[in-house]
Amino acid sequence: MQYEFTIQVLPEVAAKEELLKKEISVKNNLSLKEIRYIEILKRSIDARQRIVKINLKVKVFVNEDFVKTPIELPEYPTVDTAREIVIIGAGPAGLFAALRCVEWGYKPIVLERGKDVRARRRDLKAINNDHIVNEDSNYCFGEGGAGTYSDGKLYTRSKKRGDVQRILKLLVGFGATEQILVEAHPHIGTNKLPAIIAEIREKIVAHGGEVRFETRVTDFELKNGEISAVITQGGTVIDTNKVILATGHSARDIFELLYRKKIAIEAKPFALGVRVEHTQELIDQIQYKCDVRSRYLPPSPYSVVKQVNGRGMYSFCMCPGGVIAPCATSPGEVVTNGWSPSKRNHPTSNSGIVVELRLEDFAAYERFGPLAGVYFQKEIEQRSWELAGKTQRVPGQRLMDLVAGKVSTHLPQTSYKPGLSSVDMGAVFPPFIHDVLKKGFVDFDKSMKGYLTNEAVVHAPESRTSSPVRIPRDRQTLEHIVVKGLYPCGEGAGYAGGIISAAIDGEKCMEACIRSL
C-alpha cells in the first residue's frame, strides 16, 4: 500500500530516515516494521516560530517495495536536414526553445554573442582581477545567459505560465540533482550549472542543431512586415522568416536596433537599488532565532517586502552563503549581482534590495522614447563607475551610515573581488530612491531585528533586476504585434523573470512558431 502524508518535524528528524519512519509510524498509526520506504515529495522550512520545523510531503510504502522511476530525456530526432528556425540568444529561453525545436522535428540555429561556458571563465576572471569588461562575454552574456554564473536559482512564482515540473525534470535529465524536484526553493549553484548548460548544448548539436558562439546579431531585414533575414556583426546574412528573439535583459544594442528600425517596443517599469552583504552567521541567527545554526539546517535565506513613501522596497535574488559579483556589460559602468555555490558555504550572504520604479520616474529621459528606462538605468551605472574611481570598484557604504546619511570612514573587505570605494549613496541615486532606501532599511530591521548593523556593507548599484523594455507580442500567436515571424521571448522581451520562467517562455514561443508553419 502507498500513502501520502504531510508532516511537520524537527530538522534532525527530517535528516535521519529511521527517526522519520518512527515519527510517521506514531502520527499515522502505522506499523514501523511494515514501512519499507519513505519517498520525500516536497520539503520546505518553517522558521516562523522559535523552534524551526521542516514541512514534508511524503509517500509512504507499507508492505510494498519502492521502485525508482528514472527521469529520462525525450527521444530527440535527428534534425540536421530539417526546416531551420533561428534563435538569438543562448540563455535559458533560447536553449529550451532550441530543445523544443529539436524535439518537434525542426533544426534550431542558435546565435550567441558570447562564448561557451568554459571560455567565459577567462573573461569573468578578467573583470574580477583586471577590471576589463568584454562587451560580449561577461556575467550576463555567453552560453547559458545571466543565470549560468549568477546563482542558478530555480524558484518561480510563474506556475500559471507553464509546466514548472517539466523544466525541472529536464534539468535533472541533463545532470542536476533530483533534490530540485523536492525543495520548495530549488537551487543548482553557480559551480554546477555550467556543466548542465554544456550538456544541453551538446544534446542540441548531437541531434543536428547548431549553436554558433561569438556571433552577435547587428541587424534584421524586413520585407512586407515580415522578418526575412538576420545579419551578424561579421556581415553574414542568414535568410529566415522565423526568429526567436531571446537576448536577455541586458542586450541594450538589440533594444536600440529595434527602436532604430521602428519595430515597436515600449518602456517597462523595473526595480533598482543596492546589494547588501551581511555575514551568513548573522542572517542565520536572525532567521532561525538561534546562536548557532543547527547542522541539520541549510544557510538561511530571507525575503522582505516593505512599502515606503508609497513605493515597494524589497529583497531580490537573495544569495545565502554567497558572494557579490561584477556584472557590467560595457566599459564605463559598474553593476552588481550575487551568486551562491551549490553548498552555499561562503561565510557571507547578500541580497539585492531594490526600489520599485514607475514610468513617470523616467520623465527626464522622454527624448529617448521607449528607451527612457534604459537610459535612466545606464546613467546610474555610469555615475557609479565615475564615483568609485573609473574601474570595476563599486560605491560602498556601511548600512547604518547609509541610513544616517554619512560617508563611511572605513569599509571592511567584502566578497566583491574588484573592491569598494567609500561613497555616499545619496550621490549615486536620485533623491526619491535614496530616501526610500534610508527609511526602508529601518523598516527592514523591524522585521529582522539585527539586520540594521554597520557591519553590513551596501554595494551599488543593483540595476539589472529585469528588462527596462517590453517587446510587445500577440497574446495568441506570440509573434511581434507588427513584424510577422519575430517572436520576442524571455526576460529581455519582458515575459520572464528567472531561469524557469524564461525556459517555459522559450518552449512556448517555439511551439507557437512551429504551429505557424
Side-chain angles (χ1 to χ4, degrees), residues 33-144:
K33 292 182 180 180
E34 292 176 352
I35 297 177
R36 302 265 185 92
Y37 188 81
I38 297 172
E39 181 183 13
I40 304 208
L41 304 176
K42 284 294 175 186
R43 181 192 292 112
S44 63
I45 298 173
D46 186 348
R48 292 173 296 179
Q49 306 302 320
R50 180 156 293 278
I51 298 177
V52 178
K53 298 288 184 69
I54 307 295
N55 297 319
L56 296 175
K57 181 180 180 182
V58 299
K59 183 180 286 187
V60 182
F61 291 77
V62 177
N63 284 328
E64 182 179 335
D65 290 331
F66 170 71
V67 179
K68 184 176 177 59
T69 304
I71 292 175
E72 297 179 346
L73 293 171
E75 289 290 331
Y76 294 107
T78 298
V79 297
D80 54 338
T81 60
R83 166 73 186 265
E84 296 174 350
I85 297 174
V86 172
I87 300 166
I88 305 175
L95 289 175
F96 277 82
L99 282 174
R100 201 61 157 165
C101 186
V102 174
E103 188 179 352
W104 282 28
Y106 291 79
K107 178 179 179 177
I109 298 179
V110 183
L111 309 178
E112 169 54 51
R113 69 191 296 164
K115 301 176 184 178
D116 65 76
V117 286
R118 183 177 294 275
R120 276 180 83 180
R121 291 173 183 164
R122 289 191 290 272
D123 298 308
L124 302 187
K125 184 178 180 181
I127 193 172
N128 273 292
N129 295 347
D130 305 318
H131 303 250
I132 297 171
V133 180
N134 182 326
E135 290 186 282
D136 289 318
S137 180
N138 44 61
Y139 276 96
C140 290
F141 298 146
E143 185 177 20

Side-chain angles (χ1 to χ4, degrees), residues 221-266:
E221 286 186 1
L222 307 176
K223 288 183 181 177
N224 301 320
E226 184 176 9
I227 195 88
S228 61
V230 169
I231 302 170
T232 71
Q233 190 173 34
T236 301
V237 178
I238 302 170
D239 294 322
T240 178
N241 63 356
K242 295 294 176 185
V243 173
I244 305 290
L245 186 62
T247 49
H249 60 41
S250 292
R252 290 168 173 167
D253 57 324
I254 292 295
F255 300 149
E256 296 273 7
L257 171 63
L258 295 172
Y259 185 48
R260 192 167 63 249
K261 296 189 77 71
K262 297 182 170 51
I263 297 174
I265 61 174
E266 56 194 34

